[in-house]
Every structure is written in structure tokens, then in C-alpha cells.
Amino acid sequence: MADLKRFRTTPLHVRGINATTYPVDDDAIMVEGVLKDERLIPTLSLIKGGMSAPGVVHDITIRLLIRGAAMVIEDLEVEITHVPRELCRETQAALQPLIGHHIAPGFSEYIKKTFGGKKGCAHQNALLLTMASAAVQGFWAQRAGNKNMTIDAARSRMDPRLLINTCWVWREDGELIKELAAALQEQSGVS
């Protein structure tokens, strides 16, 4: 196996994507995602010719208000602080169709189909995909962090289908899904 770390010398470009979840009330969270691209070396400008100085290329923030176990997007904001071209700002309103949509299985495909290619911004889409999985984590943290909530109440307010086939560990025929199904079945009193 190659030692790829040996290529870590002088970096050319850095992309940072962060997603932070905040409580809104007992049944809602706000997820704020930030994508920031920074070029660390001068680069050729395809439009203007000549070299562009190093610096921030993209700085985009998206905020989603998400409610309930169904993870419904109730509201959103897009803040575009820095983009390479002013035309990029025209995508700021493109995500409005997300309002009313659920973060659920198939969300990634929905993003790609609805906002992919010429319909939207690749950078906003990359950020949304990160934010969706962070929203699930944050929503559970809100539930599981409530010291007054029982495990039965927490489970009843979170849709376990959000986990199925999201990764190898949560594959539908895997041990964790079987354990979760058994726990939910026991909770509901169904034999």
C-alpha cells in the first residue's frame, strides 16, 4: 500500500465544510452549514487571463430550520459572502423548494435531481449533503441530551428509517438494524 501522506507538502487549496446544530425548541433544530474554499497559490483566470491572487473563492452559509421526527425543513436562509463571480449570487434563492421537504431516505438523490448541474450550485449542494447527515446527528443529540426523556420517548420521536442503509454498519440486513428493530418492537409491545 502506498504512503500517500508523503505528498503532503505545500497545499494548493483548502475546502472546509462545517455543520453546527442548535436547539430551537423541544421539537426543532437549526442547522447552520458553512462551506469555505481557499486557493493558497496564484492561479490562472480562465475568463480574464493572467493570474488571480490566492484567497477565498467561496464562502457560503446555509441555515435550515428543521422540525419533528419527520425532519421537515420549515425555513431556510442562504448567505453568500464570497464567490468568484457575481453571477453566482443568482443561486441564492434556488433552494426555496427545500421548504416543506423532509430529510429522509432519498434526500441526497432529491438534492442532485432538483438542484444539480445547471439547476443550482455544486457548492451549495455539497454543503446540503453534509448538513443533512449532521441534522440527523443533531436531532438525535437534542433528544438524547434531554435528561428528562426516557429511551422509549426518545425512540418514539426519531424515525429509525433515517439510519437504514446510510452506511455499512446500518445496512438493512446488519446486526445494528436487527437490534434496533427488536428494541422498537419490544417498546411497542408487539411480539
Side-chain angles (χ1 to χ4, degrees):
M1 189 185 267
D3 176 22
L4 297 180
K5 289 186 284 185
R6 66 190 162 104
F7 297 113
R8 288 192 323 204
T9 55
T10 304
L12 305 169
H13 174 267
V14 174
R15 170 172 282 181
I17 297 180
N18 292 301
T20 306
T21 306
Y22 300 93
V24 173
D25 59 37
D26 286 346
D27 200 38
I29 58 172
M30 190 273 288
V31 181
E32 180 178 63
V34 178
L35 178 143
K36 189 171 185 178
D37 280 327
E38 187 171 1
R39 299 253 170 85
L40 304 175
I41 62 168
T43 54
L44 183 63
S45 172
L46 290 175
I47 303 295
K48 297 177 186 173
M51 299 299 280
S52 295
V56 174
V57 180
H58 300 100
D59 189 349
I60 300 168
T61 301
I62 299 174
R63 293 177 195 91
L64 301 175
L65 177 62
I66 300 168
R67 184 163 304 279
M71 309 258 329
V72 177
I73 298 170
E74 284 192 345
D75 204 358
L76 68 88
E77 294 176 348
V78 179
E79 183 180 322
I80 299 176
T81 304
H82 196 92
V83 285
R85 290 170 188 80
E86 283 305 305
L87 284 171
C88 297
R89 295 185 191 284
E90 292 178 10
T91 65
Q92 198 156 359
L95 300 179
Q96 289 301 310
L98 277 173
I99 295 175
H101 198 78
H102 300 258
I103 295 177
F107 185 77
S108 296
E109 290 79 20
Y110 170 76
I111 294 299
K112 292 172 189 173
K113 178 182 169 195
T114 308
F115 308 109
K118 65 183 181 180
K119 299 175 198 169
C121 170
H123 306 91
Q124 290 177 13
N125 295 347
L127 182 52
L128 280 170
L129 296 178
T130 296
M131 291 173 69
S133 61
V136 173
Q137 294 290 327
F139 201 77
W140 179 249
Q142 182 187 40
R143 296 289 184 258
N146 182 340
K147 294 177 183 164
N148 298 321
M149 187 171 291
T150 67
I151 187 63
D152 290 347
R155 285 179 181 149
S156 72
R157 295 177 73 187
M158 190 69 183
D159 187 347
R161 292 175 297 172
L162 292 172
L163 300 172
I164 297 172
N165 293 328
T166 56
C167 70
W168 182 83
V169 170
W170 288 108
R171 68 195 182 279
E172 63 189 320
D173 59 347
E175 283 303 310
L176 281 181
I177 289 295
K178 290 176 187 171
E179 289 176 30
L180 180 60
L184 291 173
Q185 188 174 26
E186 182 179 310
Q187 172 189 330
S188 68
V190 177
S191 298

Coordinates of all heavy atoms in Angstrom, one line a residue, residues 13-14 16 21 24 26-27 34 39 60 68-69 89 91 98-99 105-106 117 121-122 148 152 168 178 182-183:
H13 N -5.0 24.1 -2.2 CA -6.4 24.5 -2.0 C -6.9 23.9 -0.7 O -6.5 22.7 -0.4 CB -7.2 24.1 -3.2 CG -8.6 24.3 -3.1 ND1 -9.5 23.3 -2.6 CD2 -9.4 25.4 -3.4 CE1 -10.7 23.8 -2.6 NE2 -10.7 25.0 -3.0
V14 N -7.7 24.6 0.0 CA -8.3 24.0 1.2 C -9.9 24.2 1.1 O -10.3 25.4 0.8 CB -7.8 24.7 2.5 CG1 -8.6 24.2 3.7 CG2 -6.3 24.5 2.7
G16 N -13.2 23.7 3.5 CA -13.7 23.4 4.8 C -15.2 23.4 4.8 O -15.8 24.3 4.2
T21 N -25.4 22.3 14.8 CA -26.8 22.2 15.1 C -27.1 22.9 16.4 O -26.4 22.8 17.4 CB -27.2 20.7 15.2 OG1 -26.8 20.0 14.1 CG2 -28.7 20.6 15.4
V24 N -33.9 24.8 18.9 CA -34.8 25.8 18.7 C -35.9 25.7 19.7 O -36.2 26.7 20.4 CB -35.5 25.8 17.2 CG1 -36.6 26.8 17.1 CG2 -34.4 26.0 16.2
D26 N -38.4 22.1 21.8 CA -38.3 20.7 22.1 C -38.5 19.8 20.8 O -38.2 18.7 20.8 CB -39.4 20.3 23.1 CG -39.1 20.7 24.5 OD1 -37.9 21.1 24.7 OD2 -40.0 20.7 25.3
D27 N -39.0 20.4 19.7 CA -39.2 19.6 18.5 C -38.6 20.2 17.3 O -38.9 19.8 16.2 CB -40.7 19.5 18.3 CG -41.1 18.3 17.5 OD1 -40.5 17.3 17.6 OD2 -42.0 18.5 16.6
V34 N -21.5 25.8 6.7 CA -20.6 26.8 6.1 C -19.6 26.0 5.2 O -19.0 25.1 5.7 CB -19.8 27.6 7.2 CG1 -18.9 28.6 6.5 CG2 -20.8 28.3 8.1
R39 N -8.0 29.2 -2.2 CA -6.8 28.9 -3.0 C -5.6 29.4 -2.3 O -5.6 30.6 -1.9 CB -7.0 29.5 -4.4 CG -8.2 29.0 -5.1 CD -7.8 28.1 -6.3 NE -9.0 27.5 -6.8 CZ -9.8 28.0 -7.7 NH1 -9.5 29.2 -8.2 NH2 -10.9 27.4 -8.1
I60 N -19.9 30.3 1.7 CA -21.3 30.1 1.6 C -21.9 29.6 2.9 O -21.3 28.6 3.5 CB -21.7 29.2 0.5 CG1 -21.2 29.8 -0.8 CG2 -23.2 28.9 0.4 CD1 -21.2 28.8 -2.0
G68 N -39.5 18.2 14.0 CA -40.1 17.0 14.2 C -39.4 15.7 13.7 O -38.4 15.8 13.0
A69 N -39.9 14.6 14.1 CA -39.2 13.3 13.8 C -39.3 13.1 12.3 O -38.4 12.4 11.7 CB -40.0 12.2 14.5
R89 N -24.3 34.6 -7.3 CA -25.3 35.1 -6.3 C -26.7 34.8 -6.8 O -27.6 34.8 -6.0 CB -25.1 36.6 -6.0 CG -23.8 36.8 -5.3 CD -23.6 38.3 -4.8 NE -22.3 38.5 -4.4 CZ -21.7 38.2 -3.2 NH1 -22.5 37.5 -2.4 NH2 -20.5 38.5 -2.9
T91 N -27.9 32.2 -7.5 CA -28.4 30.9 -7.0 C -28.9 31.0 -5.6 O -29.4 30.0 -5.0 CB -27.2 29.8 -7.0 OG1 -26.2 30.3 -6.1 CG2 -26.7 29.6 -8.4
L98 N -36.8 23.5 -1.1 CA -36.5 22.7 0.0 C -37.5 22.9 1.2 O -37.7 22.0 2.0 CB -35.1 23.0 0.6 CG -33.9 22.3 -0.1 CD1 -32.6 22.8 0.5 CD2 -34.0 20.8 0.1
I99 N -38.1 24.0 1.2 CA -39.1 24.3 2.3 C -40.3 23.3 2.1 O -40.8 23.2 1.1 CB -39.5 25.8 2.3 CG1 -38.3 26.7 2.6 CG2 -40.7 26.0 3.3 CD1 -38.6 28.1 2.6
P105 N -34.7 9.2 3.8 CA -34.0 8.4 2.8 C -34.4 8.9 1.4 O -35.5 9.3 1.1 CB -34.6 7.0 3.0 CG -34.8 6.9 4.5 CD -35.3 8.3 4.8
G106 N -33.4 9.1 0.5 CA -33.6 9.6 -0.8 C -33.3 11.1 -0.9 O -33.4 11.7 -2.0
G117 N -26.3 20.2 -11.5 CA -26.0 20.7 -12.8 C -26.4 22.2 -12.9 O -26.2 23.0 -12.0
C121 N -26.2 25.2 -7.6 CA -24.8 25.5 -7.3 C -24.2 24.2 -6.7 O -24.7 23.7 -5.7 CB -24.7 26.6 -6.3 SG -23.1 26.9 -5.6
A122 N -23.1 23.7 -7.3 CA -22.5 22.5 -6.8 C -22.0 22.7 -5.4 O -22.0 21.7 -4.6 CB -21.3 22.1 -7.8
N148 N -34.5 14.4 31.0 CA -35.8 14.0 31.5 C -36.5 13.1 30.5 O -37.6 12.7 30.8 CB -36.7 15.3 31.7 CG -36.1 16.2 32.8 OD1 -35.6 15.7 33.8 ND2 -36.2 17.5 32.5
D152 N -37.7 5.2 25.6 CA -38.9 5.0 24.8 C -39.4 6.2 24.2 O -39.8 6.2 23.0 CB -40.0 4.3 25.7 CG -39.6 2.9 26.1 OD1 -38.7 2.3 25.5 OD2 -40.3 2.4 27.0
W168 N -22.4 1.1 6.0 CA -22.2 -0.4 6.2 C -22.8 -0.9 7.5 O -23.5 -1.9 7.6 CB -20.8 -0.8 6.0 CG -20.5 -2.2 6.1 CD1 -20.6 -3.1 5.0 CD2 -20.1 -3.0 7.2 NE1 -20.3 -4.4 5.5 CE2 -20.0 -4.3 6.8 CE3 -19.9 -2.7 8.5 CZ2 -19.7 -5.3 7.7 CZ3 -19.5 -3.7 9.4 CH2 -19.4 -5.0 9.0
K178 N -31.1 -5.0 13.1 CA -31.8 -6.0 13.8 C -32.0 -5.7 15.3 O -33.1 -5.9 15.8 CB -31.1 -7.4 13.6 CG -31.1 -7.9 12.2 CD -30.3 -9.2 12.1 CE -30.2 -9.6 10.6 NZ -29.2 -10.7 10.4
A182 N -35.6 -4.9 17.1 CA -36.0 -5.7 18.3 C -36.4 -4.7 19.4 O -37.4 -4.9 20.1 CB -34.9 -6.7 18.7
A183 N -35.5 -3.7 19.6 CA -35.8 -2.7 20.7 C -37.1 -2.0 20.5 O -37.9 -1.8 21.4 CB -34.6 -1.8 20.8

